[in-house]
Amino acid sequence: QVLLVESGGGLGQPGGSLRLSCAPSRSASRIDVKGWYRQAPGKQRELVATIPDGGMAVYADSVKGRFIITKDNGKNTVYLQMNSLKVEDTAVYYCNAISRALSPKYDRAVWGQGTQVTVSA
């Protein structure tokens, strides 16, 4: 079952911009979209940016000042505006969300299928 729908990946140029978006699929319910992670070839998945419950956005040091994460609460959609792209931003970007249970102790993380972002001249 596809719970999250990601869009916006593709090819970007160094110094350019791309925008990613993530929203729950129509068939999904009680999904709280939180943010983005990425995984480059041969590396572990790492946090890019996330919006914690009731808190301010958190960014990886490598993207601070370049990426902006926002959330449209009405649409439960998270956007990642990626500016001043670098070659090292090349990775598969994964949307992260929480599937909310009736009891918080049963909440679980869910992931999108990933969208490729390639930064190259």
Side-chain angles (χ1 to χ4, degrees), residues 70-117:
T70 57
K71 184 172 183 178
D72 182 331
N73 288 311
K75 297 179 180 178
N76 194 16
T77 299
V78 168
Y79 304 94
L80 184 68
Q81 178 67 41
M82 304 186 293
N83 301 318
S84 301
L85 287 168
K86 300 179 179 181
V87 172
E88 50 264 43
D89 293 322
T90 297
V92 177
Y93 284 69
Y94 295 91
C95 180
N96 169 254
I98 296 177
S99 176
R100 299 290 185 185
L102 294 179
S103 173
K105 66 179 180 180
Y106 295 116
D107 289 350
R108 62 182 181 91
V110 294
W111 297 91
Q113 294 181 310
T115 183
Q116 177 70 45
V117 170

Side-chain angles (χ1 to χ4, degrees), residues 7 17 26-27 31 33-34 36 39 54 58-59 62 65 90 104 106 109 117-118 120-121:
S7 62
S17 298
R26 290 188 176 183
S27 61
I31 299 295
V33 184
K34 304 304 292 182
W36 291 90
Q39 188 167 16
V58 175
Y59 296 91
S62 59
T90 297
Y106 295 116
V117 170
T118 301
S120 175

Side-chain angles (χ1 to χ4, degrees), residues 20-34:
L20 305 181
S21 65
C22 177
S25 66
R26 290 188 176 183
S27 61
S29 62
R30 303 181 66 84
I31 299 295
D32 184 7
V33 184
K34 304 304 292 182

